[in-house]
Amino acid sequence: MDRDAALGDTIAGQNVVMWLLVFAEEGTPTGALPPPVYVLMPPQNETVPVPTMKNYSSNIAGLQFKAAGAGYLNTTPDDDGVIRRSPLVLRYQDFVYPALALAIAKAHTGAVRFKLETAELEDFEPIVGLSVDKTFIPTDPYGRVVVPYLGKQQTFEYISATDVLQATSLDQFPQLKDKAVIIGASAL
């Protein structure tokens, strides 16, 4: 039994968003990138300051292309080690990819339109925000947002994946109805 193919068949047609990693360091890319949310065409590919990554590690094609979307988990701390800002978009070549949170929001709301909003200056086109359908998200010139600190670990409800998988009825977790759910390692 090909378990990857079985998982791919399970997520096909569902609102599943996969994760990927992009790296600033040179290296050999692995996996299949999803379709980008935006393509920087000339002259924007020279003037819009989306942070550029040189490498990636993504999902195998059989999973990636059956998912509703994908987003990266990368962020960079400030010099003192604290994460205060996080990029909502990163670039690989001329292709723009969303942060995982943005990809989840896009899939969960059914948004279809995505646009980098920029200010046109002489040789520089700073990002002023992102439009996702009718929602405008203001950013700094590099497409970053301030990370709102909402509380310590476990501020958000935690439900064991094992409990969900072993449930005998969907009614056992009414708090999950119509919600975006993140399933992953507790270390993330």
Side-chain angles (χ1 to χ4, degrees):
M1 172 186 207
D2 183 344
R3 293 183 190 273
D4 290 331
L7 179 57
D9 291 342
T10 300
I11 67 173
Q14 304 298 317
N15 224 4
V16 173
V17 175
M18 308 289 285
W19 68 276
L20 58 105
L21 293 173
V22 288
F23 306 105
E25 302 85 25
E26 295 285 345
T28 303
T30 59
L33 283 175
V37 292
Y38 195 82
V39 179
L40 293 168
M41 302 297 289
Q44 278 193 323
N45 61 344
E46 299 291 332
T47 60
V48 177
V50 176
T52 301
M53 301 292 116
K54 300 175 184 174
N55 188 7
Y56 64 85
S57 177
S58 189
N59 303 291
I60 61 173
L63 295 179
Q64 189 60 70
F65 297 123
K66 291 191 176 183
Y72 59 83
L73 276 171
N74 305 56
T75 196
T76 305
D78 289 344
D79 291 339
D80 63 0
V82 176
I83 296 173
R84 292 183 180 87
R85 286 172 289 289
S86 189
L88 286 182
V89 288
L90 290 175
R91 168 183 177 173
Y92 177 75
Q93 298 173 347
D94 287 338
F95 304 108
V96 176
Y97 296 95
L100 182 62
L102 186 59
I104 291 169
K106 188 174 177 293
H108 186 65
T109 61
V112 293
R113 184 178 163 273
F114 182 94
K115 184 176 183 213
L116 288 177
E117 303 289 352
T118 60
E120 293 184 32
L121 303 176
E122 209 166 298
D123 293 332
F124 181 60
E125 205 171 334
I127 301 168
V128 295
L130 309 173
S131 288
V132 182
D133 278 352
K134 295 180 180 179
T135 301
F136 177 75
I137 305 165
T139 68
D140 73 6
Y142 304 96
R144 299 178 303 188
V145 293
V146 173
V147 175
Y149 178 74
L150 298 176
K152 60 184 180 178
Q153 189 175 7
Q154 302 280 331
T155 295
F156 296 98
E157 184 174 8
Y158 170 86
I159 300 171
S160 165
T162 301
D163 292 348
V164 173
L165 293 170
Q166 292 177 351
T168 56
S169 166
L170 294 175
D171 296 333
Q172 286 180 258
F173 298 98
Q175 67 271 46
L176 299 181
K177 183 173 175 50
D178 300 324
K179 300 291 190 264
V181 176
I182 299 172
I183 301 171
S186 60
L188 294 179

